[in-house]
Amino acid sequence: MSRGPAERKSGISKPAPRRIRTGIPLFLNNPSIIIAPVSLGAEPTFTQSSTRLPSTLSEPEVYCDAAEESPPLERGKSLFTSAIVKSVPKTIARGITSAILGKPDYEKAREQHARYVGALETCGLKVVVLDADDEFPDSVFVEDTAVVTDRHAVVARPGAPSRRGEIRAVEPVLSDLYENVERIEAPGTLDGGDVLQVGDRFYVGLTQRTNEEGAGQLSVFLQRYGFDVSLVPLRRFLHLKTGVSYLGDDDLLVAGELVENDAFAGFDGIPVPTQEEYCANCIRVNDRVLIPAGYEETKASISTRGYEVVELEMSEFQKVDGGLSCLSLRLP
Ligand code: CIR
């Protein structure tokens, strides 16, 4: 992929822009958007029918003047050139958690974070490390603050009120990197951990953190740049990517409530055993798959499919419900 002309303040290059579809508003009667009826807390039923987005959403006003449709990204490619991470705050032990694994140790978390950054670099990424912010105990989980693509970036509005201010550190970096930066606005809420990209399609989890309004706003933005969207209501997982990771070549790691979900019916599902559920959150970074250490069965399932696996100790982040993907924003 060709690079933007100049290195930016952040030290990483701007993602090369892609052509954008033009014409009628993309979300109107668009068969490529799939929205399931949502009733959080109740048994979700997933219907693959085309639906209009909620009427409260405004029509996109700006369309690119490019005349051609962009070719779809090759399904399975997950090529990244850089990543944004945020250092561990001293307050990490006060992070939100449902785990009963004890409090994370700050020094240990710093070591694990340093290894994580090293692994991203080994995968060929240039890594921008944002300063730690002790005001926000969960701020190391920078993935939740934004959605980044090769065409635009969207600043999230985290569902947990204690995390809302985290976007202040990320917004200027994204504005430096992208010409097009949109924002999720109230009453919408959206955590980046609820957003999974597979080629030109985005799967967006509806969870306690991401509401219909937030997911709807994101869908409008994504469609404006030629992406398709599927909404996936969840009952139990914190985030969509808590239970699913795309490895490439149609291989999808799935756990728990997502194993039988129709949204992912077209993939080669690799079920993650219940006792290894934490390992469902992995990241494919260029030629390698980064996984949490200690999950032998899932590691074997991934390796036997020909992927080079890198194991990373994640114990301190797991204590505050954080997985591998949460620790970075990976940029094409
Ligand atoms: C939280 O509850 O928000 C953090 N303690 C963990 C966030 C994990 N982020 C992610 O899965 N994307």
Side-chain angles (χ1 to χ4, degrees), residues 247-265:
L247 303 182
D249 303 320
D250 281 348
D251 289 334
L252 193 80
L253 271 185
V254 270
E257 65 187 287
L258 290 171
V259 173
E260 298 295 333
N261 194 306
D262 286 348
F264 301 114

Side-chain angles (χ1 to χ4, degrees), residues 76-120:
K77 285 269 185 216
S78 56
L79 298 173
F80 300 109
T81 62
S82 52
I84 299 169
V85 302
K86 194 161 166 67
S87 295
V88 182
K90 289 199 181 75
T91 51
I92 187 169
R94 300 212 299 265
I96 307 167
T97 192
S98 61
I100 41 167
L101 299 168
K103 296 271 180 215
D105 178 88
Y106 169 64
E107 289 303 336
K108 240 172 148 181
R110 271 170 40 109
E111 278 167 33
Q112 292 177 2
H113 195 259
R115 293 223 171 80
Y116 179 87
V117 170
L120 292 179

Side-chain angles (χ1 to χ4, degrees), residues 262-316:
D262 286 348
F264 301 114
F267 290 93
D268 293 334
I270 307 170
V272 176
T274 311
Q275 70 281 8
E276 298 203 352
E277 208 167 84
Y278 181 70
C279 196
N281 181 267
C282 294
I283 47 175
R284 163 86 185 267
V285 186
N286 300 339
D287 295 335
R288 298 176 175 86
V289 178
L290 276 45
I291 73 167
Y295 299 92
E296 295 308 321
E297 231 180 286
T298 310
K299 180 183 162 189
S301 304
I302 299 171
S303 304
T304 52
R305 282 171 169 81
Y307 296 101
E308 183 179 339
V309 171
V310 176
E311 283 185 275
L312 289 166
E313 187 51 67
M314 288 287 292
S315 63
E316 303 315 293

Side-chain angles (χ1 to χ4, degrees), residues 95-97 138 141 143-144 163 191-193 209 238-239 242 320-323 325-326:
I96 307 167
T97 192
D138 285 303
F141 303 119
E143 176 183 61
D144 292 322
R163 300 198 59 188
D191 279 13
R209 300 294 178 88
L238 172 63
H239 289 122
T242 308
V320 275
D321 287 348
S325 74
C326 326

Side-chain angles (χ1 to χ4, degrees), residues 189-220:
T189 62
L190 182 109
D191 279 13
D194 277 317
V195 183
L196 171 74
Q197 181 175 11
V198 180
D200 268 358
R201 178 169 291 278
F202 279 82
Y203 296 85
V204 183
L206 293 165
T207 62
Q208 298 295 326
R209 300 294 178 88
T210 296
N211 63 17
E212 287 179 63
E213 172 67 29
Q217 289 179 24
L218 179 68
S219 302
V220 171

Side-chain angles (χ1 to χ4, degrees), residues 32-239:
S32 62
I33 189 161
I34 299 167
I35 303 178
V38 177
S39 160
L40 289 175
E43 191 75 22
T45 46
F46 195 90
T47 352
Q48 297 211 348
S49 59
S50 71
T51 313
R52 282 179 186 227
L53 284 171
S55 55
T56 50
L57 296 167
S58 57
E59 206 171 288
E61 290 164 13
V62 185
Y63 291 94
C64 176
D65 57 6
E68 285 173 40
E69 258 195 19
S70 60
L73 288 176
E74 190 185 321
R75 200 177 185 204
K77 285 269 185 216
S78 56
L79 298 173
F80 300 109
T81 62
S82 52
I84 299 169
V85 302
K86 194 161 166 67
S87 295
V88 182
K90 289 199 181 75
T91 51
I92 187 169
R94 300 212 299 265
I96 307 167
T97 192
S98 61
I100 41 167
L101 299 168
K103 296 271 180 215
D105 178 88
Y106 169 64
E107 289 303 336
K108 240 172 148 181
R110 271 170 40 109
E111 278 167 33
Q112 292 177 2
H113 195 259
R115 293 223 171 80
Y116 179 87
V117 170
L120 292 179
E121 287 171 342
T122 303
C123 295
L125 304 198
K126 179 158 192 171
V127 182
V128 172
V129 184
L130 305 180
D131 290 341
D133 188 345
D134 295 339
E135 191 186 340
F136 297 105
D138 285 303
S139 51
V140 72
F141 303 119
V142 68
E143 176 183 61
D144 292 322
T145 61
V147 176
V148 290
T149 81
D150 59 345
R151 306 162 206 188
H152 68 134
V154 180
V155 178
R157 185 167 180 271
S162 66
R163 300 198 59 188
R164 297 258 158 89
E166 290 178 25
I167 60 171
R168 287 200 296 270
V170 171
E171 201 166 1
V173 181
L174 297 178
S175 298
D176 182 47
L177 281 170
Y178 286 90
E179 268 154 37
N180 304 306
V181 180
E182 290 95 14
R183 285 155 197 84
I184 302 297
E185 307 283 356
T189 62
L190 182 109
D191 279 13
D194 277 317
V195 183
L196 171 74
Q197 181 175 11
V198 180
D200 268 358
R201 178 169 291 278
F202 279 82
Y203 296 85
V204 183
L206 293 165
T207 62
Q208 298 295 326
R209 300 294 178 88
T210 296
N211 63 17
E212 287 179 63
E213 172 67 29
Q217 289 179 24
L218 179 68
S219 302
V220 171
F221 296 140
L222 290 170
Q223 287 204 294
R224 197 180 283 171
Y225 294 93
F227 293 110
D228 298 322
V229 179
S230 296
L231 302 186
V232 186
L234 296 172
R235 277 170 291 151
R236 192 174 67 79
F237 284 134
L238 172 63
H239 289 122

